Amino acid sequence: MKANGMQKKKMTGNGFLLLITIALFAVMYIAGMIIFADKGFAKPQMFLNLFVSNAGLLVIACGLTIVMITGGIDISVGSVTALVCMVLADLMENKGVNTYVAVLVALLIGVAFGVVQGFLVAYLDIQPFIVTLAGMFFGRGMTAIISTDMISIKNELFLKWANFRFYMPFGSTNKKGKFIPAYIPPTVVIAVIVVIIAVLLKYRKFGRKLYAIGGNRQSALMMGLNVKRTMFQAYVLDGFLAGLGGFLFCLNSCAGFVEQAKGLEMDAISSAVIGGTLLSGGVGTPIGTLFGVLIKGTISSLITTQGTLSSWWVRIILSLLLCFFIVIQSVIASMKKKAK
């Protein structure tokens, strides 16, 4: 009876939220396929474009999911992305730095943010919102100091990476009857690998520590877990993924500018929450975050395909969904308290 109760509790807290997210995505996408069938919404490439357009966001959202599972938050990732893009563009175009070195520097920027913010949150016990808010302002400010003008990337190797395509054995036919294979760029492959690794973390010692800390920090301490070190490592990993996501974002835009990736942190947080990650910590999965990102991408595609609605409707609908899932989380948390 006790085991059944634990299983039911687990399903209520995690599986139920994930189930709602997957069902919501399926309903939205199928509705789009039916309503906009004449505009090509049902084509395989349209589905793959959800990954193509949001590969960087997916990687960044996975990093945020890891931090949020511990009960933390990081609102600096949008600024880190903008800084990474600007540094990449400036190093390659203005400084003549080798492409591989520029990418390495970009990744190290993300790690540096993770190390500093992780130290302040984990070892100095400063509120993560305050720390990452400072990181957000710092990152955006540094981006403006490097250049207030947009820098377009014309580096041959970088553009070769950006324009490379993996063609699929399936696709669609155009009006002339010619078969056009669907494709994905390397950014999607990297993003999917990151999701798989993030999912596997749950079954490793480090992943179990994250959930234990998010579930009850005091209990984690009593179990002998090094809470501070684990929290620090979570933020360093989050920083690295923010740097990697910024690199993937730059492969899509091939430019660096001050206003780039503005609001990306809110997209990443909302994707994680819509995917079932509790803001209070202890519950969440990168699979849910994946579907949260796909929901955001589907909303954008539906509005773009419709053609007459403002792009701001993406933010409006996302905010409504975010509120909806936060209310569900609150209800589930209340049910758990009553069960105890």
Side-chain angles (χ1 to χ4, degrees):
M1 288 292 289
K2 188 175 180 181
N4 291 335
M6 289 293 288
Q7 189 175 0
K8 185 178 179 182
K9 182 179 177 183
K10 186 176 180 182
M11 178 60 187
T12 302
N14 199 351
F16 181 66
L17 288 172
L18 180 59
L19 191 62
I20 291 176
T21 304
I22 295 173
L24 180 61
F25 166 69
V27 168
M28 289 175 64
Y29 200 83
I30 291 171
M33 291 172 67
I34 295 170
I35 297 169
F36 299 116
D38 59 328
K39 295 185 179 181
F41 206 91
K43 291 181 179 179
Q45 188 58 53
M46 183 65 78
F47 176 75
L48 292 178
N49 283 345
L50 298 179
F51 292 88
V52 176
S53 303
N54 297 288
L57 173 61
L58 181 54
V59 171
I60 292 166
C62 281
L64 256 172
T65 301
I66 291 168
V67 165
M68 289 170 69
I69 287 172
T70 67
I73 197 74
D74 183 0
I75 61 171
S76 69
V77 291
S79 297
V80 172
T81 299
L83 180 59
V84 164
C85 291
M86 182 63 82
V87 167
L88 280 169
D90 182 61
L91 288 179
M92 289 187 290
E93 298 305 314
N94 297 337
K95 305 293 192 300
V97 175
N98 178 275
T99 309
Y100 293 102
V101 174
V103 172
L104 178 61
V105 170
L107 295 178
L108 289 176
I109 287 172
V111 173
F113 268 82
V115 169
V116 174
Q117 293 181 159
F119 177 79
L120 294 174
V121 171
Y123 291 101
L124 298 187
D125 204 26
I126 304 174
Q127 284 292 327
F129 180 83
I130 300 300
V131 170
T132 56
L133 179 65
M136 180 179 74
F137 289 140
F138 178 79
R140 195 66 67 176
M142 287 300 298
T143 305
I145 285 175
I146 294 171
S147 177
T148 54
D149 299 322
M150 186 177 79
I151 304 174
S152 297
I153 297 175
K154 299 174 183 176
N155 181 280
E156 289 185 10
L157 179 58
F158 194 88
L159 291 178
K160 186 178 178 181
W161 291 345
N163 295 320
F164 190 83
R165 299 287 183 266
F166 293 108
Y167 289 97
M168 304 289 107
F170 54 85
S172 57
T173 55
N174 60 16
K175 293 180 180 179
K176 296 180 180 180
K178 183 181 178 182
F179 176 75
I180 301 174
Y183 66 86
I184 55 171
T187 54
V188 175
V189 177
I190 295 171
V192 170
I193 291 172
V194 168
V195 172
I196 293 171
I197 293 173
V199 170
L200 294 177
L201 271 181
K202 184 178 181 180
Y203 305 100
R204 308 296 297 176
K205 188 176 180 181
F206 175 68
R208 291 194 292 269
K209 287 180 182 178
L210 296 176
Y211 284 94
I213 292 169
N216 192 315
R217 189 171 300 192
Q218 196 61 39
S219 296
L221 282 168
M222 293 174 68
M223 288 166 60
L225 299 182
N226 192 328
V227 172
K228 291 184 177 181
R229 186 174 65 187
T230 305
M231 287 283 291
F232 175 73
Q233 291 171 342
Y235 274 92
V236 172
L237 182 56
D238 169 57
F240 169 74
L241 291 178
L244 178 60
F247 167 57
L248 300 186
F249 194 92
C250 194
L251 281 172
N252 269 354
S253 65
C254 290
F257 53 96
V258 175
E259 296 298 311
Q260 197 167 21
K262 204 167 186 179
L264 185 69
E265 59 280 341
M266 292 300 106
D267 288 339
I269 292 170
S270 60
S271 296
V273 173
I274 290 170
T277 303
L278 289 181
L279 290 169
S280 56
V283 173
T285 170
I287 291 293
T289 300
L290 166 63
F291 279 97
V293 171
L294 291 178
I295 286 173
K296 183 263 177 188
T298 301
I299 294 169
S300 298
S301 295
L302 287 171
I303 290 172
T304 302
T305 306
Q306 197 275 337
T308 61
L309 291 174
S310 167
S311 60
W312 281 103
W313 276 102
V314 177
R315 301 285 183 191
I316 294 169
I317 296 171
L318 272 179
S319 66
L320 292 174
L321 285 176
L322 185 60
C323 291
F324 171 70
F325 276 89
I326 288 173
V327 169
I328 292 178
Q329 289 182 6
S330 180
V331 170
I332 289 174
S334 179
M335 289 171 63
K336 282 184 176 182
K337 286 181 181 179
K338 287 181 181 180
K340 289 179 180 179

mmCIF file of all heavy atoms in Angstrom, residues 11 19 40 50 60 81 84 90 109 116 127 142 148 181 184 190 208 214 237 266 276 296:
data_model
loop_
_atom_site.group_PDB
_atom_site.id
_atom_site.type_symbol
_atom_site.label_atom_id
_atom_site.label_comp_id
_atom_site.label_asym_id
_atom_site.label_seq_id
_atom_site.Cartn_x
_atom_site.Cartn_y
_atom_site.Cartn_z
ATOM 1 N N MET A 11 3.523 10.143 -9.657
ATOM 2 C CA MET A 11 2.780 10.397 -10.879
ATOM 3 C C MET A 11 2.083 11.750 -10.817
ATOM 4 O O MET A 11 2.041 12.496 -11.780
ATOM 5 C CB MET A 11 1.756 9.273 -11.087
ATOM 6 C CG MET A 11 0.876 9.463 -12.311
ATOM 7 S SD MET A 11 1.842 9.533 -13.827
ATOM 8 C CE MET A 11 0.574 9.956 -15.007
ATOM 9 N N LEU A 19 2.534 14.851 -18.721
ATOM 10 C CA LEU A 19 1.443 14.366 -19.563
ATOM 11 C C LEU A 19 0.631 15.531 -20.137
ATOM 12 O O LEU A 19 0.279 15.534 -21.326
ATOM 13 C CB LEU A 19 0.531 13.448 -18.746
ATOM 14 C CG LEU A 19 -0.518 12.643 -19.521
ATOM 15 C CD1 LEU A 19 0.145 11.686 -20.496
ATOM 16 C CD2 LEU A 19 -1.427 11.904 -18.565
ATOM 17 N N GLY A 40 1.181 24.358 -45.864
ATOM 18 C CA GLY A 40 2.341 23.490 -45.657
ATOM 19 C C GLY A 40 2.672 23.164 -44.215
ATOM 20 O O GLY A 40 3.769 22.682 -43.921
ATOM 21 N N LEU A 50 10.818 23.504 -35.939
ATOM 22 C CA LEU A 50 10.654 23.794 -34.512
ATOM 23 C C LEU A 50 11.984 23.602 -33.791
ATOM 24 O O LEU A 50 12.326 24.358 -32.879
ATOM 25 C CB LEU A 50 9.591 22.895 -33.883
ATOM 26 C CG LEU A 50 8.160 23.018 -34.414
ATOM 27 C CD1 LEU A 50 7.249 22.039 -33.689
ATOM 28 C CD2 LEU A 50 7.645 24.446 -34.264
ATOM 29 N N ILE A 60 19.845 26.018 -23.698
ATOM 30 C CA ILE A 60 19.817 26.957 -22.572
ATOM 31 C C ILE A 60 18.737 26.557 -21.562
ATOM 32 O O ILE A 60 18.956 26.603 -20.346
ATOM 33 C CB ILE A 60 19.582 28.393 -23.087
ATOM 34 C CG1 ILE A 60 20.805 28.865 -23.867
ATOM 35 C CG2 ILE A 60 19.284 29.359 -21.942
ATOM 36 C CD1 ILE A 60 20.583 30.110 -24.698
ATOM 37 N N THR A 81 23.903 34.915 -23.782
ATOM 38 C CA THR A 81 23.765 34.582 -25.202
ATOM 39 C C THR A 81 24.157 35.762 -26.085
ATOM 40 O O THR A 81 24.901 35.606 -27.059
ATOM 41 C CB THR A 81 22.314 34.157 -25.516
ATOM 42 O OG1 THR A 81 22.001 32.992 -24.747
ATOM 43 C CG2 THR A 81 22.137 33.857 -26.995
ATOM 44 N N VAL A 84 27.935 36.252 -25.875
ATOM 45 C CA VAL A 84 28.625 35.196 -26.629
ATOM 46 C C VAL A 84 28.574 35.498 -28.128
ATOM 47 O O VAL A 84 29.593 35.407 -28.833
ATOM 48 C CB VAL A 84 27.997 33.816 -26.330
ATOM 49 C CG1 VAL A 84 28.416 32.782 -27.376
ATOM 50 C CG2 VAL A 84 28.401 33.337 -24.941
ATOM 51 N N ASP A 90 32.882 39.775 -32.945
ATOM 52 C CA ASP A 90 33.982 40.732 -32.811
ATOM 53 C C ASP A 90 35.340 40.058 -32.997
ATOM 54 O O ASP A 90 36.211 40.579 -33.700
ATOM 55 C CB ASP A 90 33.914 41.402 -31.440
ATOM 56 C CG ASP A 90 35.000 42.451 -31.252
ATOM 57 O OD1 ASP A 90 35.014 43.422 -32.029
ATOM 58 O OD2 ASP A 90 35.838 42.289 -30.340
ATOM 59 N N ILE A 109 33.229 31.959 -21.675
ATOM 60 C CA ILE A 109 32.436 33.063 -21.114
ATOM 61 C C ILE A 109 31.255 32.499 -20.330
ATOM 62 O O ILE A 109 30.961 32.929 -19.203
ATOM 63 C CB ILE A 109 31.935 33.996 -22.239
ATOM 64 C CG1 ILE A 109 33.096 34.822 -22.789
ATOM 65 C CG2 ILE A 109 30.827 34.925 -21.726
ATOM 66 C CD1 ILE A 109 32.739 35.630 -24.023
ATOM 67 N N VAL A 116 31.233 32.160 -11.309
ATOM 68 C CA VAL A 116 31.031 33.330 -10.433
ATOM 69 C C VAL A 116 29.655 33.282 -9.775
ATOM 70 O O VAL A 116 29.530 33.424 -8.548
ATOM 71 C CB VAL A 116 31.195 34.643 -11.227
ATOM 72 C CG1 VAL A 116 30.828 35.837 -10.346
ATOM 73 C CG2 VAL A 116 32.622 34.782 -11.735
ATOM 74 N N GLN A 127 20.815 35.199 -2.623
ATOM 75 C CA GLN A 127 19.644 34.789 -3.395
ATOM 76 C C GLN A 127 19.987 34.688 -4.890
ATOM 77 O O GLN A 127 20.517 35.639 -5.470
ATOM 78 C CB GLN A 127 18.505 35.789 -3.201
ATOM 79 C CG GLN A 127 17.783 35.666 -1.873
ATOM 80 C CD GLN A 127 16.998 34.367 -1.764
ATOM 81 O OE1 GLN A 127 16.474 33.847 -2.750
ATOM 82 N NE2 GLN A 127 16.950 33.823 -0.560
ATOM 83 N N MET A 142 28.327 44.552 -20.985
ATOM 84 C CA MET A 142 29.568 44.173 -21.658
ATOM 85 C C MET A 142 29.360 44.023 -23.158
ATOM 86 O O MET A 142 30.244 44.352 -23.956
ATOM 87 C CB MET A 142 30.107 42.859 -21.079
ATOM 88 C CG MET A 142 30.712 42.990 -19.685
ATOM 89 S SD MET A 142 32.104 44.151 -19.634
ATOM 90 C CE MET A 142 33.265 43.359 -20.735
ATOM 91 N N THR A 148 28.222 48.844 -30.082
ATOM 92 C CA THR A 148 26.800 49.206 -30.098
ATOM 93 C C THR A 148 26.196 48.977 -31.481
ATOM 94 O O THR A 148 24.983 49.105 -31.654
ATOM 95 C CB THR A 148 26.612 50.688 -29.693
ATOM 96 O OG1 THR A 148 27.431 51.504 -30.538
ATOM 97 C CG2 THR A 148 27.001 50.908 -28.233
ATOM 98 N N PRO A 181 13.815 16.848 -49.937
ATOM 99 C CA PRO A 181 14.069 16.173 -48.648
ATOM 100 C C PRO A 181 14.084 17.160 -47.485
ATOM 101 O O PRO A 181 14.499 18.304 -47.634
ATOM 102 C CB PRO A 181 15.456 15.545 -48.858
ATOM 103 C CG PRO A 181 16.105 16.408 -49.897
ATOM 104 C CD PRO A 181 15.000 16.872 -50.797
ATOM 105 N N ILE A 184 18.045 18.980 -41.306
ATOM 106 C CA ILE A 184 18.352 19.624 -40.030
ATOM 107 C C ILE A 184 19.811 20.076 -40.073
ATOM 108 O O ILE A 184 20.655 19.406 -40.664
ATOM 109 C CB ILE A 184 18.138 18.697 -38.812
ATOM 110 C CG1 ILE A 184 18.940 17.397 -38.976
ATOM 111 C CG2 ILE A 184 16.666 18.417 -38.579
ATOM 112 C CD1 ILE A 184 18.953 16.528 -37.730
ATOM 113 N N ILE A 190 23.358 18.802 -32.010
ATOM 114 C CA ILE A 190 23.989 19.148 -30.732
ATOM 115 C C ILE A 190 22.939 19.321 -29.641
ATOM 116 O O ILE A 190 23.104 18.828 -28.511
ATOM 117 C CB ILE A 190 24.821 20.444 -30.874
ATOM 118 C CG1 ILE A 190 25.988 20.221 -31.832
ATOM 119 C CG2 ILE A 190 25.341 20.914 -29.516
ATOM 120 C CD1 ILE A 190 26.738 21.495 -32.215
ATOM 121 N N ARG A 208 20.832 12.603 -9.053
ATOM 122 C CA ARG A 208 20.037 12.272 -7.855
ATOM 123 C C ARG A 208 20.257 13.301 -6.751
ATOM 124 O O ARG A 208 19.345 13.632 -5.991
ATOM 125 C CB ARG A 208 20.381 10.865 -7.378
ATOM 126 C CG ARG A 208 19.901 9.764 -8.332
ATOM 127 C CD ARG A 208 19.957 8.401 -7.679
ATOM 128 N NE ARG A 208 21.340 7.976 -7.450
ATOM 129 C CZ ARG A 208 22.055 7.260 -8.326
ATOM 130 N NH1 ARG A 208 21.527 6.937 -9.497
ATOM 131 N NH2 ARG A 208 23.282 6.896 -8.054
ATOM 132 N N GLY A 214 16.739 19.848 -4.261
ATOM 133 C CA GLY A 214 15.528 20.595 -4.604
ATOM 134 C C GLY A 214 14.327 20.142 -3.810
ATOM 135 O O GLY A 214 13.450 20.946 -3.472
ATOM 136 N N LEU A 237 27.515 24.066 -14.754
ATOM 137 C CA LEU A 237 26.952 23.341 -15.900
ATOM 138 C C LEU A 237 25.940 24.215 -16.636
ATOM 139 O O LEU A 237 25.919 24.250 -17.879
ATOM 140 C CB LEU A 237 26.297 22.050 -15.422
ATOM 141 C CG LEU A 237 25.686 21.141 -16.501
ATOM 142 C CD1 LEU A 237 26.714 20.780 -17.562
ATOM 143 C CD2 LEU A 237 25.112 19.870 -15.859
ATOM 144 N N MET A 266 13.308 34.533 -20.265
ATOM 145 C CA MET A 266 11.909 34.263 -19.953
ATOM 146 C C MET A 266 11.369 33.107 -20.796
ATOM 147 O O MET A 266 10.561 32.301 -20.317
ATOM 148 C CB MET A 266 11.066 35.515 -20.178
ATOM 149 C CG MET A 266 11.336 36.646 -19.207
ATOM 150 S SD MET A 266 11.017 36.180 -17.478
ATOM 151 C CE MET A 266 12.699 36.017 -16.833
ATOM 152 N N GLY A 276 6.927 21.169 -16.870
ATOM 153 C CA GLY A 276 6.692 20.445 -15.619
ATOM 154 C C GLY A 276 7.716 20.657 -14.528
ATOM 155 O O GLY A 276 7.663 20.001 -13.482
ATOM 156 N N LYS A 296 6.427 26.454 -27.406
ATOM 157 C CA LYS A 296 6.762 27.841 -27.741
ATOM 158 C C LYS A 296 6.990 27.985 -29.240
ATOM 159 O O LYS A 296 6.513 28.930 -29.879
ATOM 160 C CB LYS A 296 8.014 28.253 -26.952
ATOM 161 C CG LYS A 296 8.437 29.710 -27.153
ATOM 162 C CD LYS A 296 9.530 29.838 -28.188
ATOM 163 C CE LYS A 296 9.909 31.281 -28.450
ATOM 164 N NZ LYS A 296 10.836 31.427 -29.582
#
